[in-house]
Amino acid sequence: MNRNDRRVLIATALVGVMVLIGIFLLGGDGNDRVFKENRRTGNTRSDRVPFAATMPQQTETFYFDPNTADSTQLLRLGLQPWQVRNIYKYRAKGGVYRKKEDFARLYGLTVKDYRRLEPYIRISEDYLPAATLVGEDRDRRFSSNSKDRLRYPRKLSHGEHIILNIADTAMLRQVPGIGSYYAKEIVRHGQWLGGYVSVDQLDEIDNFPQEAKKYFVIEHPNPRKLPVNQLTLQQLRRHPYINYYQAKAITDYRRLHGNIKSLQDLRFSSDFTEADIQRLEPYIAY
């Protein structure tokens, strides 16, 4: 090897060393911290947490069948992703929820969460034991009278009431003046709002029959709250009580003055009237 070859070899080696030093100085420290954190928490995956997983989860309540509910519905109910995966595995192995109490066996489900979800569990008759079809029970379930009752439900009498926030479409059709169309609209509007806090909110449904309102009551309202200091403009305007200009007023206030501590902070905004603030107040969390 002559003198020129040795010089080239030495220069190449020096460049390689400098590159390795640069990589260590620029990226090694951050990667080392990530590795140590993953080792501490038991996370062996190197991929980042999806952005959606960092968003605040808003728990909802609505009627569902644990035998057929999809992952989106189960997550909206407040279940953790690993609990949803366990439900899917249970169903894939032929597991069936035959009664509400079966759902209480879900691993990691607390008593508080089960009591919150239990009133909304609806097990389809398709998943009941086949023995229920035998004898008198079969006659009762499949008689023409039963079909007639489903088609033409018994209407409520004067003085009878339905709790608005837990009623499904079948219950709603028992109200005089409410058919299939308005029953679906009541459920849809309630889900859009995040729950009813007043019977008068039914007036927001086009041409809602006024005589039907006396059959509804509100008990222990617990509407879904909007974290007003965390949501983006686009997320805020999805609520029916917030339009584009009001959502912009909220984000502008946060940018200029910091977190909103009360909706009264917006009373000087031309985009909010006092009626707007009072109507929106039950749905806001700070």
Side-chain angles (χ1 to χ4, degrees):
M1 179 181 296
N2 59 36
R3 181 177 298 177
N4 289 336
D5 292 337
R6 286 198 298 271
R7 288 177 179 176
V8 171
L9 181 60
I10 292 172
T12 303
L14 288 175
V15 171
V17 171
M18 292 176 65
V19 170
L20 290 175
I21 293 174
I23 292 174
F24 176 78
L25 292 177
L26 295 176
D29 185 58
N31 291 334
D32 185 60
R33 286 198 299 270
V34 172
F35 173 77
K36 290 180 179 178
E37 178 63 20
N38 287 340
R39 185 173 61 182
R40 183 182 66 81
T41 59
N43 180 20
T44 59
R45 296 184 59 186
S46 60
D47 54 321
R48 297 180 179 180
V49 177
F51 175 74
T54 66
M55 293 293 291
Q57 183 176 356
Q58 298 184 24
T59 300
E60 304 178 38
T61 49
F62 49 85
Y63 294 105
F64 72 101
D65 186 338
N67 292 299
T68 57
D70 60 28
S71 58
T72 301
Q73 293 172 318
L74 294 171
L75 290 172
R76 286 169 54 201
L77 289 166
L79 297 179
Q80 298 300 317
W82 55 270
Q83 291 177 311
V84 175
R85 288 194 294 270
N86 286 342
I87 292 174
Y88 269 67
K89 290 178 183 177
Y90 176 73
R91 298 193 314 208
K93 293 179 180 178
V96 173
Y97 298 96
R98 301 189 185 279
K99 55 184 182 296
K100 293 183 178 182
E101 292 77 8
D102 291 344
F103 192 69
R105 298 192 181 97
L106 176 63
Y107 180 75
L109 187 68
T110 64
V111 172
K112 179 181 177 181
D113 286 337
Y114 175 72
R115 288 176 176 170
R116 175 176 61 86
L117 295 173
E118 188 271 339
Y120 300 93
I121 299 174
R122 295 288 186 271
I123 306 296
S124 170
E125 289 188 354
D126 292 339
Y127 296 96
L128 294 177
T132 59
L133 301 178
V134 178
E136 296 181 356
D137 190 70
R138 182 181 185 281
D139 295 336
R140 176 178 64 81
R141 291 181 182 275
F142 294 96
S143 67
S144 58
N145 290 335
S146 295
K147 293 180 181 179
D148 290 341
R149 282 196 297 270
L150 291 174
R151 188 178 304 170
Y152 308 106
R154 180 190 71 84
K155 293 295 185 179
L156 299 180
S157 302
H158 180 73
E160 293 183 305
H161 299 93
I162 283 180
I163 301 175
L164 184 55
N165 279 318
I166 66 172
D168 58 13
T169 55
M171 296 172 63
L172 292 169
R173 290 175 59 212
Q174 298 179 30
V175 176
I178 301 297
S180 297
Y181 171 77
Y182 280 116
K184 293 177 182 178
E185 286 298 298
I186 292 171
V187 172
R188 182 195 63 80
H189 192 61
Q191 292 175 345
W192 195 23
L193 286 169
Y196 291 97
V197 297
S198 169
V199 173
D200 290 333
Q201 289 175 294
L202 293 172
D203 293 333
E204 297 165 7
I205 300 173
D206 290 340
N207 301 316
F208 189 82
Q210 293 297 303
E211 66 277 6
K213 288 170 57 179
K214 63 184 179 183
Y215 294 97
F216 294 104
V217 294
I218 302 287
E219 288 188 2
H220 311 297
N222 184 28
R224 186 171 66 252
K225 303 282 188 176
L226 300 175
V228 70
N229 289 312
Q230 302 175 29
L231 299 182
T232 65
L233 184 150
Q234 294 299 328
Q235 290 171 328
L236 286 167
R237 64 180 297 200
R238 290 173 188 167
H239 195 276
Y241 288 169
I242 302 178
N243 60 37
Y244 171 81
Y245 299 102
Q246 291 170 333
K248 189 174 187 302
I250 291 172
T251 55
D252 287 346
Y253 182 95
R254 292 186 334 215
R255 177 171 51 83
L256 296 173
H257 305 288
N259 284 347
I260 296 173
K261 297 179 176 61
S262 167
L263 284 187
Q264 291 301 319
D265 294 343
L266 303 171
R267 65 186 183 280
F268 297 116
S269 170
S270 60
D271 296 301
F272 282 92
T273 66
E274 187 62 31
D276 292 333
I277 291 175
Q278 291 179 2
R279 183 175 68 165
L280 185 58
E281 184 66 47
Y283 298 96
I284 297 298
Y286 305 100

